[in-house]
């Protein structure tokens, strides 16, 4: 989803409708994987835990994507902010 939502930022001259259609095409395949994964995962994790896992994975991927693809610096504030999110995620899995 990261590429579907943010990959187009490097192609600002591309018409918006093209960007939307390409993004939907990319996202469709991820949804085809995410829906069965959530169904299978729900036998082990709660819905809140599944969502938490998804968000942490998304943030981790986004940091790499932002730095490597978009060539944006990962600042200390970003790292600290994501660390706070990780601490919050730990509470979801606690006890």
């Amino acid at each position: 989803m990261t590429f579907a939502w943010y990959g187009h930022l490097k192609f600002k001259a591309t018409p918006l409708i093209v960007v939307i259609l390409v993004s939907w095409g990319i996202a469709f395949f991820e949804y085809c994987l995410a829906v069965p994964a959530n169904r299978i995962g729900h036998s082990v994790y709660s819905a809140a835990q599944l969502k938490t896992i998804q968000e942490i994975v998304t943030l981790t991927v986004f940091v790499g994507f932002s730095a490597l693809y978009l060539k944006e610096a990962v600042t200390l504030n970003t790292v600290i902010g994501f660390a706070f999110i990780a601490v919050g995620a730990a509470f979801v899995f606690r006890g």
Side-chain angles (χ1 to χ4, degrees):
M1 291 306 283
T2 299
F3 193 79
W5 290 349
Y6 300 101
H8 64 87
L9 295 177
K10 287 184 91 171
F11 304 99
K12 294 184 189 223
T14 304
L16 186 57
I17 189 67
V18 172
V19 169
I20 290 169
L21 293 173
V22 170
S23 293
W24 280 357
I26 293 168
F28 173 77
F29 293 106
E30 183 171 339
Y31 279 117
C32 287
L33 297 173
V35 170
N38 281 327
R39 182 166 288 198
I40 294 165
H42 196 250
S43 65
V44 178
Y45 299 107
S46 70
Q49 289 172 325
L50 287 170
K51 182 60 178 172
T52 302
I53 292 167
Q54 184 247 333
E55 291 300 330
I56 294 299
V57 168
T58 298
L59 287 173
T60 302
V61 169
F62 182 78
V63 168
F65 177 85
S66 180
L68 300 173
Y69 183 78
L70 296 176
K71 308 293 186 211
E72 294 183 359
V74 179
T75 65
L76 179 60
N77 283 344
T78 301
V79 172
I80 292 170
F82 286 176
F84 279 123
I85 293 169
V87 169
F91 278 100
V92 173
F93 285 92
R94 187 167 182 239

